[in-house]
Amino acid sequence: MPKISITLPDGSVKKYDQPVTGEALAADIGPGLAKAALAVRINGELKDLYLPIESDAEVAIITAKDEASLELIRHDCAHVMAQAVQELFPGTQVTIGPVIEDGFFYDFARPEPFTEDNLAVIEKRMHEIVDRDLAIRRQVWERKKAIKHFKKIGEAYKAEIIGDLPGDEEISIYSQGEWLDLCLGPHLTSTGKVGHAFKLLKVAGAYWRGDSRNQMLTRIYGTCWHQEKDLQAYIERIAEAAKRDHRKLGQQMDLFHFQEEAPGAIFWHHKGWALILQLVEYMRARNQKAGYEEISTPEILDRALWVTSGHVEKFGEDMFYTSTPDGREYVIKPMNCPGGLQVYNKGIKSYRDLPLRVAEFGKVHRFEPSGALHGLMRLRAFTQDDAHIYCTEAQLQDECITVTRLILDIYKDFGFEEVTIKFSDRPPQRIGADEVWDRSEAALLKAIEATGSDFSHSPGEGAFYGPKLEFVLRDAIGRDWQCGTLQVDLNLPERFDATFVGPDGERHRPVMLHRALFGSLERFAGILIEHYAGHLPLWLAPVQTVVATITSDADVYARQVHGKLVAAGLRSESDLRNEKINYKVREHSLAKVPALLVVGRNEAENSTVSIRRLGAKEQQILPLDEAVAALQAEARMPGCPAKGA
RNA sequence: GCCGGCAUAGCUCAGUUGGAAGAGCACCUGAUUUGUAAUCAGGGGGUCGCGGGUUCGACUCCUGCUGCCGGCACCA
């Protein structure tokens, strides 16, 4: 009587008298599969191919076609790299080497860190180890023996990891040839299965266990694919992202610059500023439609106010300070809310005033760690499209839903269709009663539900003063950017003693919400530049049209065309230089001007323009007035009624 | 902040073992009046990031600082 029955993915069942390995099972199904087999999935869990299956199970043979197999070869590739490193650089300790998106890394402890120059040598040795086709085998060791072994060979970090594993966990050690590593597995059956489609990408420092108080290790990043063409495609993908880099495009398009005297702050040139102004105009219109008022509060406020708000205590090390000759100490605001609360507190608020929605395009300064600065994406001086909503607890739910809908709707206008929401709830250290946290968290969750959005839960990641939602959008090449945020604040209304008079004639504490949609205008501009690869849609483009002449005979007409475009509200420039049209086309194309209006003798005589759109090879000849009207219509801000309409 | 790398003309980058700072583009001048991604010729332009040191001599070697780049940590 067969003892073990194996159910395959197609529903068929194979029966065996004794335990069977994944290898044997694959061979039993077919020689092609035996050759392609990389691992097995037993009851949903990935396992090594050579381990016996002891009891009835649902089993699938994993081959290169399975998504999971990429993780396997990347993990093995990390091990091959670790082996190569230890062969080449004796005395280097291994720590951890996980699979990450598109690749893997391994962290090493070594007095002398690796540099990029070492990568080629390590890569070469890795290819040799793959060619050795070493069998990879799993062993289970007794805990004490494992710790003793790793200590003996000088692997203090590995010994520490084993010591910290839960008591009931098996200590599995994988060997490939002479080389051993502690690892949960599973792995391929031999180093040969890794193949040669891998590449080491960069070296970096990384703290042991991700804690900046610990020793810094040296990390090597790599990527690994089944086939060379996949590797090449990945390398091209990285190159494509580099081409979109907003710092590079920002220079090419003459949008902004940075310089040493203002680390983390930006000099906007007029074209870049035009983009920012357009974002502000858009958000103002949306705010106005959504029932917001707008205020503006001082950028420099007495330090005492920041003591009251709690910022000095909590973020004192991360703020800009300034003092005046009269000896007063000020803080350059890192947030708009304390200033906003001063406006709220001026005069007495009634429950009839709520919900009160107050927007502020506030420029804030934060003394970010120098290593965190990154173009427009992480600045020390940036502008928030901030707003604070003061409401009653009863209104909290509706306000959360309305804000969430507004955010999602606005992202669509910028071509971001895929948005996920991150929900962060109460951290261990917090202020406020648990019942209030219960209600606040429930309100945010309900808002997610009401919009039917995808969301992820980050337990304990909320701010100390309240839970929050963070809105993450996916750009044209699949990268995620966290932009918008909606936070409940249980702290500041208390600290500044904000109140409203209720129907009962008593003073009550309002609930305060913080919300930003773009987050930072500068950062959002950077994201847009990368999302569109500089090809901003007409309504956002800094220079929307350029009128370029073919000969100087058309100069007078070109001025007339340009004048009409400007009168129609378009950001237009004219190019009457004594240059060939090829030269002009090339130059304005590189500057990412969306619409080039070429005029020569023909156009001047017929009152037409030849429109060449960015990226197109063909032109379109249109009567001047028709062309202006069409461009004007296209340049209209989405989501808002036309001005004066 | 931490680890590593980088810093030469407005931009992109060359610059050998330490021995007189270069190219292309851009800019200026002139010629050319041109039909959809670079017309030709000439010219001007440098504290080689900043400061110290070694040396007869430093863009080059050593060192401190600043900024930037790639990560890590941080991100109210």
Side-chain angles (χ1 to χ4, degrees):
Chain A
M1 268 293 278
K3 288 184 202 145
I4 299 173
S5 73
I6 306 265
T7 310
L8 298 171
D10 64 358
S12 64
V13 175
K14 285 201 174 276
K15 292 187 185 293
Y16 293 91
D17 288 336
Q18 47 197 341
V20 60
T21 66
E23 249 164 352
L25 176 66
D28 221 9
I29 298 168
L33 188 63
K35 213 174 151 194
L38 296 172
V40 280
R41 183 179 282 123
I42 304 172
N43 295 329
E45 257 185 87
L46 278 184
K47 294 285 181 189
D48 297 310
L49 203 55
Y50 48 81
L51 293 182
I53 303 165
E54 313 265 3
S55 53
D56 292 1
E58 289 188 13
V59 177
I61 305 292
I62 302 297
T63 68
K65 282 182 198 146
D66 292 276
E67 194 67 27
S69 65
L70 261 182
E71 282 186 28
L72 283 169
I73 65 163
R74 285 172 184 162
H75 194 178
D76 281 53
C77 200
H79 277 222
V80 168
M81 175 170 81
Q83 182 175 0
V85 163
Q86 292 201 308
E87 286 182 9
L88 290 163
F89 306 95
T92 304
Q93 293 187 59
V94 291
T95 65
I96 55 159
V99 172
I100 52 172
E101 196 177 355
D102 295 330
F104 60 88
F105 67 76
Y106 214 114
D107 284 349
F108 302 97
R110 186 167 182 254
E112 193 72 359
F114 293 109
T115 68
E116 307 267 340
D117 299 337
N118 299 125
L119 295 186
V121 181
I122 297 169
E123 238 174 55
K124 186 161 169 260
R125 180 60 66 97
M126 287 169 71
H127 285 293
E128 287 169 27
I129 292 170
V130 169
D131 287 337
R132 283 183 219 157
D133 200 16
L134 303 167
I136 302 174
R137 287 294 176 268
R138 181 177 196 268
Q139 310 163 16
V140 175
W141 285 20
E142 201 276 315
R143 177 178 298 249
K144 279 193 186 131
K145 174 192 165 191
I147 294 177
K148 207 174 145 196
H149 169 80
F150 283 106
K151 274 197 176 148
K152 195 177 130 207
I153 61 170
E155 296 280 5
Y157 290 92
K158 277 288 170 193
E160 189 181 327
I161 294 170
I162 298 168
D164 287 354
L165 286 175
D168 54 345
E169 196 155 311
E170 264 187 347
I171 309 296
S172 58
I173 305 290
Y174 279 81
S175 66
Q176 49 195 53
E178 302 286 294
W179 192 78
L180 293 179
D181 195 7
L182 165 81
C183 188
L184 195 58
H187 279 279
L188 306 172
T189 53
S190 78
T191 58
K193 301 266 187 196
V194 171
H196 291 280
F198 60 79
K199 187 170 173 55
L200 301 185
L201 300 171
K202 55 197 170 195
V203 291
Y207 295 109
W208 167 236
R209 300 201 150 162
D211 189 328
S212 59
R213 289 168 299 191
N214 289 342
Q215 190 197 331
M216 180 145 284
L217 307 170
T218 165
R219 172 175 297 182
I220 302 180
Y221 284 94
T223 188
C224 181
W225 301 80
H226 283 301
Q227 295 181 51
E228 184 62 25
K229 70 171 169 50
D230 298 331
L231 174 63
Q232 291 311 322
Y234 173 68
I235 291 169
E236 275 166 38
R237 192 143 56 88
I238 298 175
E240 170 60 25
K243 261 190 267 170
R244 288 169 178 254
D245 191 313
H246 71 281
R247 290 164 299 193
K248 199 177 159 151
L249 287 171
Q251 189 177 55
Q252 278 170 22
M253 295 167 71
D254 190 20
L255 303 179
F256 54 79
H257 84 267
F258 291 95
Q259 65 187 50
E260 268 197 38
E261 291 82 351
I266 184 166
F267 292 77
W268 282 111
H269 299 187
H270 82 278
K271 288 180 190 170
W273 190 239
L275 173 56
I276 294 293
L277 287 176
Q278 185 62 68
L279 291 177
V280 171
E281 188 184 339
Y282 171 82
M283 190 55 75
R284 278 212 169 103
R286 297 301 307 242
N287 279 343
Q288 192 267 334
K289 238 169 76 172
Y292 287 77
E293 330 179 321
E294 186 179 324
I295 61 167
S296 177
T297 64
E299 299 193 356
I300 297 173
L301 290 149
D302 196 290
R303 188 174 177 278
L305 182 123
W306 302 97
V307 172
T308 304
S309 72
H311 284 88
V312 169
E313 189 196 352
K314 199 85 188 166
F315 300 105
E317 298 282 294
D318 312 311
M319 302 197 297
F320 282 94
Y321 297 86
T322 186
S323 58
T324 43
D326 60 5
R328 281 186 74 165
E329 295 286 329
Y330 296 90
V331 168
I332 304 176
K333 69 174 174 182
M335 289 185 85
N336 302 304
C337 25
L341 268 155
Q342 308 313 305
V343 177
Y344 178 89
N345 278 350
K346 199 70 194 169
I348 296 172
K349 295 288 177 296
S350 151
Y351 72 96
R352 296 173 198 278
D353 297 322
L354 309 186
L356 184 61
R357 307 184 188 95
V358 189
E360 174 168 15
F361 293 90
K363 185 162 188 181
V364 296
H365 287 73
R366 298 177 180 181
F367 188 64
E368 302 283 3
S370 57
L373 303 179
H374 182 93
L376 291 176
M377 303 308 187
R378 191 81 179 268
L379 291 164
R380 283 181 175 159
F382 60 97
T383 316
Q384 295 179 313
D385 62 321
D386 212 348
H388 301 103
I389 299 172
Y390 307 90
C391 63
T392 65
E393 271 215 35
Q395 294 165 334
L396 175 64
Q397 182 65 77
D398 278 353
E399 288 304 307
C400 287
I401 293 174
T402 311
V403 169
T404 305
R405 284 205 175 117
L406 180 68
I407 294 182
L408 295 175
D409 190 42
I410 283 177
Y411 288 169
K412 285 202 182 80
D413 282 343
F414 292 90
F416 300 113
E417 298 286 343
E418 269 185 88
V419 181
T420 54
I421 303 179
K422 223 173 88 186
F423 168 62
S424 303
D425 61 13
R426 65 193 76 186
Q429 291 210 323
R430 59 180 182 267
I431 59 119
D434 281 355
E435 308 88 75
V436 187
W437 278 88
D438 288 343
R439 286 195 290 272
S440 307
E441 287 166 2
L444 293 178
L445 278 172
K446 193 110 186 268
I448 296 173
E449 199 183 301
T451 54
S453 308
D454 289 337
F455 81 105
S456 62
H457 182 199
S458 308
E461 296 271 301
F464 73 94
Y465 54 74
K468 61 182 175 183
L469 298 183
E470 275 157 338
F471 296 80
V472 180
L473 44 86
R474 179 156 296 177
D475 76 7
I477 56 171
R479 296 171 304 177
D480 289 338
W481 303 95
Q482 187 182 303
C483 292
T485 172
L486 170 60
Q487 311 191 1
V488 183
D489 191 333
L490 311 172
N491 181 47
L492 283 181
E494 194 76 38
R495 281 182 176 263
F496 285 105
D497 193 25
T499 59
F500 68 89
V501 179
D504 55 1
E506 300 292 317
R507 288 187 182 239
H508 300 271
R509 189 73 71 209
V511 178
M512 183 180 187
L513 293 173
H514 304 247
R515 84 70 298 198
L517 280 63
F518 296 146
S520 146
L521 289 175
E522 290 82 355
R523 181 164 182 273
F524 196 76
I527 293 167
L528 286 176
I529 291 164
E530 301 208 356
H531 174 60
Y532 288 115
H535 293 53
L536 293 164
L538 200 65
W539 74 282
L540 288 170
V543 177
Q544 297 171 312
T545 59
V546 168
V547 183
T549 50
I550 291 172
T551 79
S552 54
D553 294 344
D555 284 1
V556 172
Y557 178 62
R559 287 200 182 90
Q560 190 190 333
V561 173
H562 176 244
K564 284 209 172 186
L565 291 164
V566 171
L570 289 155
R571 295 183 287 273
S572 180
E573 290 184 353
S574 57
D575 183 355
L576 310 184
R577 290 176 302 173
N578 179 9
E579 293 289 352
K580 292 197 167 183
I581 193 61
N582 281 307
Y583 181 89
K584 295 186 183 181
V585 166
R586 177 182 155 80
E587 195 163 88
H588 299 301
S589 299
L590 288 175
K592 318 281 189 207
V593 174
L596 188 61
L597 278 61
V598 176
V599 296
R601 282 200 198 95
N602 295 341
E603 287 79 7
E605 278 163 21
N606 304 319
S607 283
T608 57
V609 288
S610 165
I611 303 182
R612 182 189 168 114
R613 300 301 298 248
L614 181 57
K617 285 266 179 276
E618 302 78 33
Q619 307 92 46
Q620 193 186 10
I621 309 240
L622 283 179
L624 175 57
D625 290 335
E626 205 175 299
V628 173
L631 288 167
Q632 187 181 28
E634 188 185 332
R636 194 162 292 147
M637 256 181 355
C640 306
K643 263 192 216 162

